[in-house]
Amino acid sequence: MTLPPNVYDAEPIPDAARAEIDRMLADGDLFRYTSDDSPVALLEQEFAAHMGVKYALACASCSAALFLALKSLGLPHGARVLIPAFTFAAVPSAVVHAACVPVLVEVKDNYRIDIEDFESKLESADAILISHMRGHTSDMDAILALAFAHDIPVIEDAAHSLGTEWHGRKIGTLGRIGCFSFQSYKLLNSGEGGILITDDADIIARAVIMSGAYEHNWKKHPVLQDRFAHWQNKLPLYNTRLGNLSAALLRPQIAEIPRRVRDGRRNHDYVAGLLNASPWLHVPPPLEPEARAPDSIQFNLKGFSDDGARAFADAAEARGVKVQIFGLSEDNARAFWNWQFLGDMPDLPQTRAMLMRACDARLPARLKRAELDLIAAALVGAAEDVKGKALAYGT
Ligand SMILES: *Cc1c(COP(=O)(O)O)cnc(C)c1O
């Protein structure tokens, strides 16, 4: 009998990391700026090459990357930054940390930005920060065209979207700056960590210095040196670097990206097909240009009350599968009304309605067909536990 799988464990770190880590344990060389070709510097070069961009800067987290991205744009105090109202609390937090003001944009029940609301809020915006939540990609054609027309820079929060593509272009390379996370739940895992990518020499020079390339440590970045010289001593040092140990864990995982993407997509699409066969569950289809790299599945409950939705989550857990309903699980960090640190904010009825019925279940790329069948059966069965089988198929 197949038991419900453990969906929380990450994949093992490739063996190739071991020799490098042993070397570091022997010589204690853990700081990226001790040498010119430290593991962190090599990670940056390899990640930039993988993404097809000129520059990358590794840092302590994706939140730190987002913060540095905002700072490197040189936004004034109090600048208004559009963000989707469906994102992780770390995103509005990074905006606040950068002394900017987040402006929340409505999200539709397919988890993607409401372009009409986006456009209506654009006039007063100084920057745009698009979170591709779990890889669900909003209409980037419309967003980039509007941003270009208004001359407003776009940062992509691709923390959990590595491997997703839009018209065959890698997510995170569409805007001026892209940011990714290496926290353990993301596609590449070093426990903690993040990386910022850009093709803009001035932005990378500013971000590198502010990340903590004090004195002339920026000379250890293979980047246009005149921009660094220009910014020398003119920027604060926020010291949010990545260490060599983390980079050694990450470098051999880059080669794993294609397999993790392929398996995650296959697993997701298989389970989505099974869930969509239920009259009570709906996995919103992607926009046409999107090819995602999922390690979880999101779906909406159809025709459920709040109590019914809670009962569904309980029934799924009783069947061995944990489901989070973003707006109903207590203190969920992706429910905007829990971001009380922002102070007063307008209600966003569309996003709120979505969050109250949108479910989240982990679906790691390593799962096998029998485990996927079990998860899908538990979810479909849980809906039937609440709504009744007869009703579902009745006349
Ligand atoms: C994980 C995540 C973050 C934060 O990443 P950290 O590396 O933990 O700071 C930000 N945005 C999204 C969409 C995420 O999924």
Side-chain angles (χ1 to χ4, degrees):
M1 188 187 136
T2 306
L3 292 170
N6 176 346
V7 293
Y8 293 97
D9 286 356
E11 292 197 18
I13 304 299
D15 268 341
R18 266 175 223 279
E20 185 72 355
I21 288 170
D22 274 345
R23 187 190 62 75
M24 275 184 235
L25 295 183
D27 65 15
D29 186 8
L30 304 180
F31 181 49
R32 69 161 299 167
Y33 288 132
T34 314
S35 69
D36 289 358
D37 57 352
S38 67
V40 178
L42 296 174
L43 169 72
E44 288 169 347
Q45 290 163 36
E46 289 158 6
F47 192 81
H50 172 80
M51 297 301 291
V53 296
K54 287 189 187 149
Y55 313 121
L57 168 67
C59 36
S61 66
C62 182
S63 301
L66 292 170
F67 166 75
L68 291 172
L70 291 161
K71 296 302 286 182
S72 66
L73 288 174
L75 297 171
H77 223 83
R80 293 164 63 83
V81 180
L82 297 195
I83 64 169
F86 175 43
T87 184
F88 185 56
V91 175
S93 304
V95 176
V96 171
H97 188 196
C100 299
V101 178
V103 177
L104 308 189
V105 178
E106 282 270 37
V107 168
K108 302 201 289 189
D109 68 0
N110 67 356
Y111 321 131
R112 291 161 177 88
I113 289 170
D114 180 330
I115 298 295
E116 235 174 84
D117 193 51
F118 174 82
E119 191 168 4
S120 76
K121 289 170 176 164
L122 199 56
E123 209 61 60
S124 66
D126 301 292
I128 297 163
L129 201 176
I130 301 293
S131 266
H132 307 294
M133 273 300 269
R134 306 287 207 276
H136 298 292
T137 308
S138 299
D139 184 350
M140 289 306 289
D141 295 349
I143 288 170
L144 293 171
L146 285 164
F148 183 78
H150 288 76
D151 196 21
I152 302 176
V154 175
I155 298 169
E156 292 180 83
D157 165 22
H160 207 154
S161 303
L162 182 58
T164 296
E165 295 185 350
W166 178 259
H167 288 299
R169 290 173 62 196
K170 291 189 168 67
I171 282 291
T173 67
L174 307 177
R176 185 96 51 98
I177 306 170
C179 300
F180 297 85
S181 173
F182 301 138
Q183 183 268 341
S184 287
Y185 289 164
K186 317 297 164 111
L187 197 81
L188 300 184
N189 164 27
S190 57
E192 304 286 356
I195 200 161
L196 174 159
I197 60 171
T198 185
D199 280 330
D200 186 311
D202 206 52
I203 284 176
I204 199 71
R206 292 169 57 88
V208 163
I209 291 174
M210 286 189 281
S211 78
Y214 61 94
E215 296 165 354
H216 288 174
N217 276 314
W218 47 261
K219 290 183 177 160
K220 298 180 176 120
H221 288 259
V223 183
L224 299 177
Q225 306 280 301
D226 66 318
R227 297 323 299 156
F228 284 117
H230 175 80
W231 290 109
Q232 180 74 49
N233 298 339
K234 297 199 179 70
L235 297 167
L237 303 172
Y238 294 107
N239 282 21
T240 178
R241 298 172 297 254
L242 194 72
N244 283 342
L245 213 42
S246 301
L249 295 170
L250 291 163
R251 288 180 60 213
Q253 293 180 55
I254 292 179
E256 305 268 312
I257 294 174
R259 180 192 51 81
R260 291 181 185 176
V261 169
R262 187 186 63 231
D263 291 356
R265 187 176 298 157
R266 180 200 60 206
N267 288 355
H268 173 277
D269 292 352
Y270 177 69
V271 173
L274 296 174
L275 300 192
N276 277 332
S278 162
W280 311 116
L281 307 178
H282 178 60
V283 182
L287 301 184
E288 204 271 322
E290 175 196 300
R292 210 147 58 88
D295 59 7
S296 62
I297 189 162
Q298 288 72 47
F299 56 95
N300 295 329
L301 298 175
K302 295 196 299 186
F304 282 68
S305 64
D306 287 359
D307 284 345
R310 285 193 188 93
F312 166 78
D314 291 344
E317 188 163 6
R319 288 168 174 268
V321 175
K322 264 203 103 59
V323 174
Q324 259 196 348
I325 300 171
F326 293 110
L328 288 172
S329 78
E330 199 181 1
D331 296 331
N332 193 296
R334 297 149 206 90
F336 64 85
W337 53 87
N338 289 329
W339 307 338
Q340 292 171 17
F341 53 87
L342 293 182
D344 284 344
M345 59 180 127
D347 195 23
L348 298 146
Q350 195 174 209
T351 308
R352 179 181 288 270
M354 177 276 283
L355 291 168
M356 296 302 272
R357 296 294 176 269
C359 302
D360 187 26
R362 290 181 56 79
L363 213 57
R366 62 180 158 73
L367 296 191
K368 299 285 175 275
R369 183 58 68 93
E371 296 169 318
L372 302 172
D373 284 331
L374 192 145
I375 289 174
L379 296 172
V380 170
E384 285 169 2
D385 290 345
V386 178
K387 302 297 279 189
K389 207 169 196 155
L391 239 178
Y393 302 106
T395 48

